[in-house]
Amino acid sequence: MNDNFDKAAIAVIIVFGALILGGLMAANLVYAHRSGFLWALGGSTAAWIAGHAILFDLPRIYAALIAIAVLMAIASTAAFAF
């Protein structure tokens, strides 16, 4: 098994934090949904910190932060849609 956590951490930070939640932040800004923007901002912050949890080899904290980021992304999508 490859124990290179750096690539996984960078992938989580870039793909989840920047692309997915960045798109949600942009969509909420365009349509002036403040709550949706703040949910997406919180989710991207949690995903960014989760990338650091991988670097420090903290799998439980990583799982909790990814769960928080996913829930905040769902909340941002719901705020945008409704």
Side-chain angles (χ1 to χ4, degrees):
M1 178 166 183
N2 189 2
D3 289 332
N4 190 359
F5 293 119
D6 295 341
K7 290 181 184 177
I10 291 170
V12 167
I13 291 169
I14 291 174
V15 173
F16 196 76
L19 295 178
I20 296 171
L21 291 169
L24 274 174
M25 283 192 283
N28 282 300
L29 277 176
V30 168
Y31 293 105
H33 291 122
R34 180 186 294 178
S35 60
F37 171 76
L38 292 174
W39 281 114
L41 181 64
S44 63
T45 303
W48 179 66
I49 296 170
H52 293 85
I54 293 175
L55 290 175
F56 295 119
D57 195 23
L58 302 168
R60 291 180 190 231
I61 294 174
Y62 167 73
L65 286 170
I66 290 297
I68 289 169
V70 167
L71 291 175
M72 286 187 170
I74 291 169
S76 176
T77 304
F80 179 71
F82 301 110

